[in-house]
């Protein structure tokens, strides 16, 4: 990770976040993701993972400190400004987060339709290209409940990479990743990093987390109430 603030995509400044339902238990985070970074985080706990992902995307505020995306603190933004910035974030949610009464195509396009002014046909064409990248024959149109898990996993990747996001947040999915999808996801991350996006990837599986073939710029692990580099956590 670079120490140059001018290239910073996401920054946690002296952040403290408490965990839902666990009074007095929390996590201290100082973290900077710059253009081209791939940061792996082994949280070991779904609550920590979800809390960090939500705070990174500006969905909930930290109890202390500030989270900045593209140099702007989420807490300083008006709602319409925050919504516009979220159009530059792709997010693969661990449990899908699909709207059940919408078709999968509309679920995929909805974040970009809500946060940007891009035309529907343009977004659908881009979604079709990404669907092929992630091993789908086309963009699925049925409702989420009608789709097998393998299709939903690939559709989640399409949604996350749609719109050339500058930050991609990936919640732990390795239990649901077959070899083909994992390879496609890593390649999509590489392409995104080549255009100066940053990736924050939560990984539960120890072997995947330590895989030397993953070109991570940093590997962090939850130790006590803080995230620390892998070498310090060993």
């Amino acid at each position: 990770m670079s120490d140059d603030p001018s290239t910073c995509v996401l920054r946690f400044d002296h952040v403290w976040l408490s965990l839902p339902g666990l009074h007095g238990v929390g996590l201290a985070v100082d973290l900077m993701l710059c253009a081209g970074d791939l940061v792996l985080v082994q949280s070991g706990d779904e609550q920590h993972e979800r809390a960090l992902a939500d705070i990174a995307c500006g969905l909930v505020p930290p109890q202390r400190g500030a989270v900045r995306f593209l140099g702007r603190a989420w807490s300083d933004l008006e709602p319409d400004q925050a919504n516009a910035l979220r159009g530059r974030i792709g997010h693969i949610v661990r449990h899908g987060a699909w709207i059940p009464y919408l078709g999968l195509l509309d679920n995929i396009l909805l974040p970009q339709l809500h946060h940007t002014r891009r035309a529907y046909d343009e977004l659908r064409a881009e979604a079709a290209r990404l669907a092929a990248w992630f091993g789908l024959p086309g963009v699925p149109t049925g409702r989420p409940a009608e789709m097998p898990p393998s299709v939903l996993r690939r559709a989640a990747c399409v949604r996350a990479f749609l719109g050339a996001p500058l930050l991609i947040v990936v919640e732990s999915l390795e239990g649901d990743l077959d070899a083909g999808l994992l390879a496609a996801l890593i390649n999509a991350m590489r392409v995104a990093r080549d255009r100066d996006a940053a990736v924050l990837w939560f990984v539960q599986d120890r072997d995947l987390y330590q895989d030397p073939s993953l070109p991570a710029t940093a590997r962090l692990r939850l130790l006590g109430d803080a995230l620390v580099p892998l070498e310090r956590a060993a």
Side-chain angles (χ1 to χ4, degrees):
M1 292 182 294
S2 168
D3 292 326
D4 181 0
S6 68
T7 67
C8 184
V9 175
L10 178 70
R11 183 166 185 160
F12 286 70
D13 285 323
H14 309 299
V15 164
W16 173 264
L17 57 102
S18 61
L19 298 178
L22 298 176
H23 180 70
V25 177
L27 181 63
V29 183
D30 279 284
L31 177 63
M32 184 163 68
L33 278 76
C34 295
D37 277 347
L38 167 59
V39 175
L40 301 182
V41 175
Q42 190 178 47
S43 65
D45 183 275
E46 186 175 346
Q47 285 186 306
H48 284 97
E49 183 177 308
R50 173 49 56 84
L52 282 167
D54 285 349
I55 287 176
C57 297
L59 298 175
V60 294
Q63 279 64 44
R64 294 197 299 272
V67 177
R68 304 179 188 278
F69 176 54
L70 300 180
R72 307 187 70 179
W74 287 116
S75 58
D76 293 341
L77 298 175
E78 297 294 330
D80 58 340
Q81 295 173 316
N83 279 333
L85 273 184
R86 287 191 194 100
R88 309 308 307 275
I89 299 176
H91 188 182
I92 299 179
V93 182
R94 187 174 192 175
H95 298 299
W98 303 108
I99 299 173
Y101 56 83
L102 292 180
L104 205 53
L105 172 61
D106 288 334
N107 266 283
I108 289 170
L109 302 185
L110 186 60
Q112 287 292 301
L113 290 171
H114 179 65
H115 295 306
T116 75
R117 296 182 178 179
R118 296 182 65 193
Y120 183 93
D121 289 345
E122 177 187 347
L123 288 169
R124 181 165 184 164
E126 183 184 344
R129 292 192 294 271
L130 285 167
W133 179 286
F134 287 108
L136 291 169
V139 184
T141 57
R143 292 189 179 183
E146 301 167 350
M147 298 294 163
S150 61
V151 170
L152 293 177
R153 289 191 289 271
R154 285 164 169 77
C157 293
V158 173
R159 179 175 59 182
F161 285 89
L162 187 65
L166 287 176
L167 173 67
I168 300 108
V169 179
V170 182
E171 297 183 29
S172 57
L173 294 170
E174 56 268 22
D176 297 323
L177 291 176
D178 58 62
L181 180 54
L182 178 59
L185 180 59
I186 292 172
N187 283 330
M189 291 177 181
R190 174 185 53 79
V191 171
R193 295 172 67 199
D194 285 346
R195 58 171 173 74
D196 290 336
V199 181
L200 179 62
W201 187 2
F202 295 95
V203 178
Q204 299 285 343
D205 182 80
R206 184 182 182 90
D207 291 337
L208 180 61
Y209 172 72
Q210 295 182 335
D211 186 344
S213 70
L214 283 179
T217 50
R219 286 174 167 84
L220 306 176
R221 183 179 294 170
L222 178 66
L223 187 64
D225 62 355
L227 287 175
V228 300
L230 174 61
E231 57 268 21
R232 285 180 50 200

